[in-house]
Amino acid sequence: MEIILSLFAALVILYICWWKPIVGIAVLTQINLIRAVVSLDLNDICFRCVNDSDPFLGAIIPLLGFAVILIKLYSKNKKVNFRLGFIDLFFVLTIFTLVYTTIFSADIITSVIYTSKFLLLAFSYYFIGKTILLNSNQPDKLIIEFLKTTLILGVVLGTISLILLLYEGGTVNRLTIPGVHPIPFSQLIGFAILVIISSLIIDKKIFPIELGSIMLRGFLFVYLLIILFASNTKGILLSVFIALIIMLYLKGFRVNKKLILLMAIVIIPLVFYVIYIIGYDNLFERLFKSLGDDSVNHRILSYGESFEIFLKFPLTGSGPGAYDLFGFLPYPHNFFLENIAQYGILGLFINIYFIFSLILLFSISNKSKKRNFIYSLLFILIIFFFIETMVSFTLWMHKGMYISLGLFSGYYFNKIRKNRVLPQEKSNFLKS
C-alpha cells in the first residue's frame, strides 16, 4: 500500500511541477514532510522517530521534478535564460571548495557522497528557483504564488500533525509529522507565520498578497503560532523573532490602528486562552530549560572543536562530511564553523563572501522597501533560514535558505533584464 501511495504522490508532484513550476518548487521544498505523510503507519505513530532515507521520494522525484520544470520552461519560452550574479559566485566558490577539499578529505567516500548531495539536493533548489523567476513575465505574481503555496502547506501539514496527535491520544514534547525531525517541520510553520504577519502589517500597494479577511489571518496567525510553540524548536523561534524585527525595521515602525485593535480584541486573548488550555509546561518547559539541555551543551562543545579542527587542517579542513572523525557531533550545527572546520581557509573565504552577499541583499531591499516590499520579504526569509543555519543542520540540508536566495536572485535579475530597475518600479505588481 505504501508503494502505491508513494507512486501516486510522485505522479501528483510531477504533474504540479509541469502545471505550475513555482508551485512545484514550493511543494518539493517540503518533500521530506510530504513523504512522511505518505509513509504513515496509523498503527504505529511515533513522534520521536525519524524515518529512514527514501531515495525515491527524497531524491529521485525532486530531481525528476526539476527536469520537468526545465522542460516546461523551455517548451513555453523556446529557451531557458540564466544570468550569473554575485550570489552565484557564492555557490561557485562553495562547489569548488567541496571538490577541492574532497581530494584531501580524511574520508573521501563520505566527502564524495556529501558533495553529491549538495549539488543534487541543495544547490539545485537555488538554480531552479532562480531559473523559474528569470524566465517569467510576471515574477511578482510567481513570488506571491510561492508564498501562498507555502502558507497552505504550513496550515495543512500543521493540521495533520495535530490530528495525528489527537488520534494517538497522548502528548509529545515536540510536535511534528511522525517520522520527521521537528526542525524542518517548524521551519515550514515559521515560514508560514512570517507570510501571515507580512500580510497583516505591510501595505498592499508594496506587497500585494490576498489571504482573506483580517479576522481569518488573525486566526491563522494564532493557530500557526501555537503549532510553532508546540514544536519546541528554539532555533526557529529565534529565527522568527529576528526576522520579525527586520521586517518591522524595513516597513517602518508605524502604528496600524486596525491591527492594534485586532491584537487587543482577538489575537492576544486567543493566544492566552489556548496556552491555558494546552498548559504552560507542555508549551514552554523545554524552551526555558535550555541551559541544561544536552543539545545546547553538545553544540557549545562542538564550537570549540571546530576551531581545533581548523587549526589542525588550515589548508584543506577535515573534508566535506568528515567532521565527525574529529568532533563529538556529526557536524557542529553552525554554518560558519562547519565551513572553517571542513574546508579550512577556503571555508573562511566562503563565510566572508556570504556576509558580503547579505550586506548587498540588505542594501537592495532597503533601497526598494518603499516601492516594492517583495525584495524585503525575500531578504527576511533568507535571514530566517540563515539564523537557523547557525544552530542546526549541515551544509547540504540548507535548502530553505538556498531556495530563498534563488528566488531573490531570479527576481532581482529579472527586473534588471527587463529594464525595470529599482527607481522606476511600479507598485501594481500583478498587472500583466
Side-chain angles (χ1 to χ4, degrees):
M1 184 64 179
E2 182 180 334
I3 295 177
I4 295 175
L5 289 175
S6 295
L7 289 173
F8 177 75
L11 291 174
V12 171
I13 291 170
L14 293 178
Y15 171 76
I16 292 173
C17 289
W18 177 265
W19 167 64
K20 192 164 287 190
I22 195 66
V23 175
I25 195 67
V27 171
L28 289 173
T29 303
Q30 309 304 330
I31 191 65
N32 288 334
L33 297 172
I34 293 171
R35 73 181 182 89
V37 174
V38 172
S39 61
L40 274 173
D41 182 358
L42 296 179
N43 296 317
D44 184 23
I45 297 177
C46 179
F47 285 91
R48 293 168 294 279
C49 301
V50 177
N51 292 336
D52 294 332
S53 60
D54 180 357
F56 179 64
L57 283 179
I60 295 175
I61 293 306
L63 293 176
L64 287 177
F66 298 152
V68 168
I69 288 172
L70 290 175
I71 293 171
K72 175 62 179 289
L73 294 177
Y74 181 81
S75 66
K76 182 178 180 180
N77 303 321
K78 304 306 178 185
K79 62 179 180 177
V80 178
N81 294 308
F82 193 86
R83 173 172 178 171
L84 294 176
F86 63 93
I87 300 178
D88 299 270
L89 185 56
F90 162 74
F91 286 97
V92 171
L93 178 59
T94 300
I95 292 170
F96 170 80
T97 298
L98 287 169
V99 174
Y100 172 78
T101 54
T102 293
I103 298 173
F104 303 96
S105 172
D107 186 344
I108 293 180
I109 294 177
T110 296
S111 294
V112 169
I113 294 173
Y114 186 98
T115 300
S116 300
K117 287 180 178 179
F118 177 81
L119 289 171
L120 299 176
L121 302 175
F123 167 72
S124 54
Y125 280 88
Y126 168 81
F127 175 78
I128 294 298
K130 178 175 180 176
T131 303
I132 292 173
L133 267 294
L134 276 176
N135 290 272
S136 171
N137 293 321
Q138 296 179 305
D140 311 90
K141 183 178 180 180
L142 293 190
I143 293 293
I144 299 300
E145 289 180 350
F146 179 85
L147 297 175
K148 284 184 175 181
T149 301
T150 304
L151 173 60
I152 292 170
L153 288 171
V155 173
V156 170
L157 292 172
T159 301
I160 289 174
S161 70
L162 290 177
I163 291 174
L164 292 172
L165 180 61
L166 294 174
Y167 178 83
E168 184 195 36
T171 60
V172 293
N173 291 329
R174 304 185 69 182
L175 183 66
T176 182
I177 299 292
V180 179
H181 193 282
I183 291 177
F185 172 76
S186 59
Q187 275 188 329
L188 171 61
I189 303 303
F191 189 125
I193 286 174
L194 290 175
V195 174
I196 284 291
I197 294 175
S198 64
S199 74
L200 287 169
I201 68 176
I202 307 303
D203 191 326
K204 283 186 171 54
K205 292 180 180 179
I206 57 174
F207 180 56
I209 187 169
E210 296 291 341
L211 296 175
S213 68
I214 191 170
M215 291 293 290
L216 174 62
R217 285 175 282 158
F219 170 78
L220 287 177
F221 169 70
V222 174
Y223 181 66
L224 291 171
L225 186 64
I226 295 302
I227 294 175
L228 181 63
F229 275 118
S231 73
N232 268 337
T233 305
K234 299 181 290 293
I236 299 299
L237 287 170
L238 176 64
S239 299
V240 170
F241 177 76
I242 293 176
L244 180 57
I245 294 299
I246 295 174
M247 185 185 298
L248 290 173
Y249 169 78
L250 289 172
K251 77 166 285 291
F253 292 88
R254 294 183 296 274
V255 176
N256 185 319
K257 294 181 180 179
K258 290 183 179 180
L259 182 58
I260 294 296
L261 186 63
L262 177 68
M263 291 285 293
I265 296 178
V266 178
I267 293 179
I268 293 178
L270 189 55
V271 167
F272 278 102
Y273 175 74
V274 174
I275 291 174
Y276 172 76
I277 294 298
I278 297 177
Y280 170 86
D281 289 341
N282 289 335
L283 285 177
F284 303 110
E285 183 177 18
R286 182 176 182 270
L287 297 174
F288 289 104
K289 290 185 177 179
S290 297
L291 293 179
D293 193 328
D294 283 344
S295 67
V296 174
N297 295 331
H298 292 167
R299 280 169 169 78
I300 293 174
L301 174 64
S302 69
Y303 295 167
E305 290 178 335
S306 297
F307 286 104
E308 293 177 3
I309 296 171
F310 173 73
L311 293 175
K312 189 174 182 179
F313 306 101
L315 298 180
T316 62
S318 64
Y323 176 92
D324 62 343
L325 294 180
F326 308 95
F328 179 77
L329 296 176
Y331 48 89
H333 294 77
N334 182 285
F335 178 73
F336 287 154
L337 294 182
E338 179 179 314
N339 285 343
I340 65 171
Q342 294 194 159
Y343 318 121
I345 192 68
L346 287 175
L348 182 61
F349 289 150
I350 290 174
N351 292 343
I352 293 171
Y353 189 80
F354 188 79
I355 294 173
F356 170 73
S357 298
L358 288 181
I359 293 173
L360 285 181
L361 293 174
F362 173 76
S363 177
I364 294 170
S365 304
N366 196 44
K367 288 178 181 178
S368 64
K369 63 185 180 182
K370 293 183 179 180
R371 296 177 298 274
N372 179 354
F373 205 79
I374 288 181
Y375 287 106
S376 298
L377 186 58
L378 291 175
F379 174 74
I380 289 163
L381 292 176
I382 292 169
I383 294 298
F384 165 71
F385 286 110
F386 168 67
I387 296 300
E388 176 61 20
T389 71
M390 302 304 289
V391 295
S392 184
F393 283 172
T394 186
L395 184 69
W396 74 270
M397 299 178 181
H398 300 321
K399 63 184 179 184
M401 185 173 74
Y402 299 149
I403 184 64
S404 300
L405 285 167
L407 294 177
F408 192 109
S409 183
Y411 185 77
Y412 177 68
F413 286 106
N414 182 297
K415 296 290 187 179
I416 291 178
R417 181 170 60 85
K418 295 181 179 178
N419 297 318
R420 289 180 289 179
V421 293
L422 297 178
Q424 284 77 41
E425 286 187 73
K426 299 179 181 180
S427 60
N428 187 11
F429 299 135
L430 298 185
K431 185 175 180 180
S432 299

